[in-house]
């Protein structure tokens, strides 16, 4: 109950009290007054037949009228209404709940999961070759820089049956980009290779044509490198394309030199220049432990072929070059195929 309600209640009770007291007083004042009651002092004996004589006073003495005691008013019980103290509703101060800083819960330790044993994949066995291992080693090969006018050196060969194709770059004077891929697939390249090995597994049971390209790794790199190629083939043959043929003043860009391990049979070197171009050429074949067994200079010609019979298992070093003592006035490129038993 608020203060206003308490004041109204007190006023109402006071008014009722005044009305009640006024009603009691009105009833008391409106009641008629009662006279004194006569009390006889003596009783006269009345004889039969005699008339009674009444005397207002007894003879011989003066009689004092009896004193009338006034009848008291009935006592009026006054209903006293206790004073109503108005209830004062205290102003309620809102309780401010203190901000509770959460106590960090002790982390429940996560049980260490039981490691699920990983089943090791079954290793893929390397391909088992069905054709002899072949190797050709190209030395002192000059590369173009990776620019618009630069040409990749291309090496094409054919494998017979499964085996590992392996390319090794060594004695490099700078970094180069080396790519390899079979058939018409997308090339797989090492973009910044200096010296190292690239291997590819071949599981094909038939013949597969492979491509290898190599060029400088950037516009400022024109390195000279040695390249060794290993593959499996029954009748090995490697086709070299876009090799510069500039003349003797630039030996790293004047044809190519390669070594092969041969069995009895015949070594064959084929050469070709761009259509409608004719140039001089020189082919030198050296047998390990023997020396030069063929030194043939020819041309001008657009194509040429040089052969050498082999009677024993041995190594041959073969070079194809431009014999001109001065550099060619314009760009000349050679395509040459090395075949051996």
């Amino acid at each position: 109950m608020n203060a206003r309600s308490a004041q109204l209640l007190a006023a109402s009770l006071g008014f009722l009290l005044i009305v009640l007291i006024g009603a009691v007083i009105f009833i008391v004042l409106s009641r008629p007054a009662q006279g004194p009651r006569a009390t006889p002092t003596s009783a006269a004996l009345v004889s039969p037949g005699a008339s009674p004589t009444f005397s207002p006073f007894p003879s011989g003495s003066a009689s004092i009228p009896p004193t009338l005691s006034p009848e008291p008013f009935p006592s009026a019980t006054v209903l006293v209404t206790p004073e109503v103290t108005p209830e004062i509703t205290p102003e309620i101060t809102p309780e401010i709940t203190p901000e509770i800083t959460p106590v960090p819960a002790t982390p429940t330790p996560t049980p260490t999961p039981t490691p699920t044993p990983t089943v090791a994949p079954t290793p893929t066995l390397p391909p088992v070759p069905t054709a002899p291992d072949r190797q050709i080693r190209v030395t002192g090969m000059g590369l173009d820089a990776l620019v618009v006018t630069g040409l990749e050196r291309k090496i094409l060969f054919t494998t017979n049956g499964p085996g590992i194709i392996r390319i090794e770059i060594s004695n490099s004077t700078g970094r180069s980009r080396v790519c390899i891929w079979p058939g018409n697939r997308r090339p797989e390249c090492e973009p910044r290779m200096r010296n190292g090995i690239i291997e590819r597994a071949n599981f094909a049971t038939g013949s597969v044509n492979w491509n290898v390209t190599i060029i400088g790794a950037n516009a400022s790199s024109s390195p000279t490198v040695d390249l060794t190629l290993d593959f499996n083939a029954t009748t090995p043959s490697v086709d070299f394309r876009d090799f510069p043929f500039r003349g003797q003043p630039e030996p790293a860009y004047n044809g190519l030199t390669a070594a092969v391990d041969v069995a009895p049979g015949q070594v064959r070197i084929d050469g070709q220049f761009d259509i409608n171009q004719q140039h001089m050429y020189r082919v030198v074949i050296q047998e390990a432990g023997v020396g030069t067994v063929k030194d043939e200079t020819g041309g001008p010609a657009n194509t040429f072929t040089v052969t050498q019979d082999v009677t024993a298992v041995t190594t041959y070093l073969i070079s194809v070059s431009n014999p001109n003592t001065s550099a060619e006035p314009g760009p000349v490129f050679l395509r040459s195929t090395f075949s051996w038993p």
Side-chain angles (χ1 to χ4, degrees):
M1 179 182 295
N2 53 32
R4 179 65 179 170
S5 300
Q7 292 175 355
L8 292 175
L9 179 60
S12 300
L13 293 177
F15 177 76
L16 292 176
L17 179 60
I18 293 172
V19 172
L20 181 60
I21 295 174
V24 172
I25 295 174
F26 177 77
I27 293 171
V28 172
L29 295 179
S30 301
R31 187 176 180 178
Q34 296 182 358
R37 295 179 182 179
T39 302
T41 58
S42 63
L45 297 176
V46 179
S47 298
S51 299
T53 303
F54 294 94
S55 175
F57 300 101
S59 59
S61 64
S63 178
I64 301 174
T67 302
L68 298 177
S69 300
E71 186 176 351
F73 292 109
S75 32
T77 302
V78 179
L79 179 62
V80 179
T81 303
E83 183 179 357
V84 179
T85 302
E87 181 181 355
I88 301 175
T89 304
E91 182 179 355
I92 300 175
T93 302
E95 181 180 357
I96 300 175
T97 303
E99 182 178 356
I100 300 175
T101 302
V103 178
T106 303
T108 304
T110 303
T112 303
T114 304
T116 303
T118 302
V119 179
T122 304
T124 302
L125 297 177
V128 179
T130 57
D133 295 333
R134 306 295 184 173
Q135 185 181 86
I136 186 167
R137 302 173 293 277
V138 183
T139 58
M141 178 171 54
L143 304 180
D144 288 357
L146 189 61
V147 294
V148 176
T149 57
L151 290 179
E152 296 174 315
R153 305 292 174 259
K154 300 176 179 65
I155 303 173
L156 288 70
F157 59 98
T158 300
T159 58
N160 303 115
I164 299 294
I165 293 88
R166 185 175 184 268
I167 300 170
E168 180 178 3
I169 304 299
S170 59
N171 300 321
S172 178
T173 60
R175 296 187 181 277
S176 57
R177 186 185 73 182
V178 185
C179 303
I180 179 173
W181 70 98
N184 295 323
R185 295 184 185 178
R186 185 175 181 179
E188 297 180 13
C189 301
E190 293 291 338
R192 293 181 56 80
M193 185 174 183
R194 181 158 188 156
N195 295 311
I197 295 173
I198 300 174
E199 289 185 343
R200 294 292 183 269
N202 174 35
F203 292 93
T205 57
S207 298
V208 178
N209 296 322
W210 291 81
N211 307 272
V212 173
T213 60
I214 183 169
I215 193 171
N218 50 58
S220 60
S221 178
S222 300
T224 299
V225 303
D226 292 347
L227 183 148
T228 300
L229 172 64
D230 291 273
F231 61 103
N232 295 93
T234 53
T235 54
S237 178
V238 177
D239 188 13
F240 299 96
R241 299 183 182 182
D242 294 328
F243 277 69
F245 206 64
R246 297 179 184 175
Q248 293 184 27
E250 299 184 56
Y253 296 89
N254 189 28
L256 72 148
T257 300
V260 292
D261 300 324
V262 302
Q266 186 181 73
V267 174
R268 174 171 173 155
I269 310 301
D270 292 297
Q272 180 179 352
F273 302 105
D274 291 339
I275 297 176
N276 299 325
Q277 287 189 2
Q278 293 187 348
H279 299 280
M280 299 294 294
Y281 64 89
R282 181 184 181 190
V283 177
V284 178
I285 301 176
Q286 296 176 313
E287 183 180 347
V290 176
T292 301
V293 294
K294 181 164 285 191
D295 186 345
E296 182 177 321
T297 301
N302 179 253
T303 62
F304 61 87
T305 298
V306 176
T307 62
Q308 176 64 37
D309 292 333
V310 178
T311 60
V313 176
T314 186
T315 299
Y316 278 84
L317 180 66
I318 306 167
S319 67
V320 181
S321 63
N322 185 339
N324 290 342
T325 56
S326 59
E328 291 287 340
V332 179
F333 293 95
L334 169 71
R335 173 180 176 178
S336 182
T337 303
F338 286 29
S339 303
W340 67 95

